[in-house]
Amino acid sequence: MASGFFALLDDIATLMDDVSVMAKVAGKKTAGILGDDLAVNAEKASGFMSSREIPVLWAITKGSLLNKIIILPIAFLLSAFIPVAITVILIIGGLYLAYEGAEKIYEFFFPHAHAEEKPALQDMSEEAILKYEKEKVKSAILTDFILSVEIIIIALGTVTGEELINQIIVVTIIALVATVGVYGIVALIVRMDEFGAKLIDLNEEDDSFSDKVGKFLVSALPVVIKSLSVIGTIALLLVSGGIFTHNLHFIHDLFETWPSMLVEFLLGLVVGFLVLLVVSGSKKVYHSLKGN
């Protein structure tokens, strides 16, 4: 019995060694998309009242965890029985991400006529603020779902051919890192000014080292948030373009000599604006028919 127990421990140790190696490979493969995921979600988690940042971020994090719980078993089943369905799902998700990125660019150059009349959060009623938060959280969770599909599928692709238990452990580890790691960093970013204020109040000395660091963090936050908005939009287009080039091989072959990042960005941009035209045209047709 003792020898059987130690043999079991040896098997577990071997399994964990294999999982560790495969997790490192999967981590490297998904590093780029995790970086894009961070930029996109940090931008989406910003723009709330200071007292509501953490509750809203927690709501998005819970939604992200639920996304993983839904996606993981479906991904394993589809990978085993209907692998082509994964490609179709990825492309549909890519179309949405491209559309969202193109819409942000369009809104920057051609804002809605009443965009400037929108009241600041401080001037909105509690009901309006809660509605705004709910819409932002819903949008963030939907975007997270699509990015999560991409992360999980890429991670799954690195362990294809391995035993099922290894696939489940490795991909689950990557999925958890994608949630805990990304949203942990996002929380640090959105609370950067609060941390800076605490450093300023750390002692009564004027112009101390903690004061300088605190003032830097407070003044840097608006710049970081604005930068994340730009980076997040670029990330949306890069992720969507990457989905198209990785899953539609004829596109990859057409631009084989081009820098991959340039191809992904331009492809995401072009497809995004095409989808934006279709969606905008469909909305106009719908409203005209509804008006009649």
Side-chain angles (χ1 to χ4, degrees):
M1 183 177 292
S3 61
F5 176 74
F6 287 115
L8 176 61
L9 289 179
D10 184 61
D11 290 341
I12 293 173
T14 302
L15 173 63
M16 296 313 296
D17 285 340
D18 293 341
V19 166
S20 177
V21 172
M22 287 184 285
K24 287 180 181 179
V25 174
K28 289 179 181 179
K29 289 284 186 179
T30 56
I33 188 73
L34 285 173
D36 293 338
D37 191 17
L38 172 61
V40 172
N41 285 300
E43 186 270 327
K44 284 187 172 293
S46 62
F48 299 99
M49 297 285 288
S50 179
S51 61
R52 296 294 302 160
E53 286 175 341
I54 295 302
V56 167
L57 186 57
W58 176 235
I60 298 173
T61 303
K62 289 189 292 184
S64 177
L65 287 170
L66 181 60
N67 284 342
K68 307 299 190 301
I69 293 172
I70 294 170
I71 295 168
L72 283 169
I74 294 175
F76 292 130
L77 289 172
L78 291 178
S79 177
F81 299 106
I82 319 175
V84 69
I86 291 178
T87 301
V88 174
I89 293 170
L90 281 173
I91 292 174
I92 293 173
L95 291 173
Y96 174 80
L97 293 177
Y99 162 75
E100 193 173 6
E103 186 181 39
K104 287 179 179 291
I105 294 175
Y106 180 81
E107 285 296 321
F108 177 80
F109 289 104
F110 304 99
H112 288 311
H114 302 291
E116 297 181 357
E117 300 173 10
K118 185 176 180 180
L121 287 176
Q122 293 85 347
D123 302 326
M124 295 169 65
S125 66
E126 183 177 351
E127 183 180 354
I129 291 175
L130 291 175
K131 183 180 178 181
Y132 170 77
E133 288 182 0
K134 187 175 180 180
E135 291 174 352
K136 287 271 286 183
V137 168
K138 184 178 179 181
S139 173
I141 292 174
L142 178 58
T143 301
D144 175 272
F145 184 89
I146 298 169
L147 291 170
S148 295
V149 170
E150 177 75 351
I151 290 167
I152 289 170
I153 297 305
I154 290 175
L156 189 57
T158 63
V159 291
T160 301
E162 299 291 339
E163 294 182 10
L164 180 60
I165 184 64
N166 288 347
Q167 293 185 22
I168 292 173
I169 294 174
V170 170
V171 178
T172 301
I173 289 172
I174 297 298
L176 289 175
V177 169
T179 298
V180 177
V182 166
Y183 287 103
I185 296 173
V186 170
L188 292 176
I189 292 174
V190 299
R191 301 303 289 176
M192 192 167 69
D193 57 340
E194 292 291 330
F195 182 63
K198 289 182 178 180
L199 285 178
I200 294 173
D201 297 334
L202 189 62
N203 54 62
E204 297 181 357
E205 297 179 18
D206 293 329
D207 204 29
S208 64
F209 177 74
S210 61
D211 286 346
K212 292 178 180 178
V213 175
K215 290 176 183 177
F216 171 77
L217 292 176
V218 171
S219 60
L221 181 62
V223 178
V224 172
I225 297 300
K226 288 181 180 179
S227 300
L228 286 173
S229 179
V230 176
I231 295 171
T233 301
I234 295 173
L236 286 170
L237 297 174
L238 286 173
V239 171
S240 61
I243 290 174
F244 300 138
T245 55
H246 296 154
N247 294 280
L248 301 174
H249 298 294
F250 71 92
I251 294 179
H252 178 270
D253 295 338
L254 284 174
F255 304 99
E256 192 172 2
T257 59
W258 290 35
S260 59
M261 186 173 290
L262 177 62
V263 173
E264 291 170 1
F265 176 78
L266 292 177
L267 190 58
L269 186 65
V270 171
V271 172
F273 273 102
L274 289 175
V275 177
L276 180 62
L277 286 173
V278 172
V279 172
S280 300
S282 300
K283 286 181 179 178
K284 289 181 180 178
V285 172
Y286 172 77
H287 288 306
S288 63
L289 292 175
K290 189 178 180 180
N292 294 331

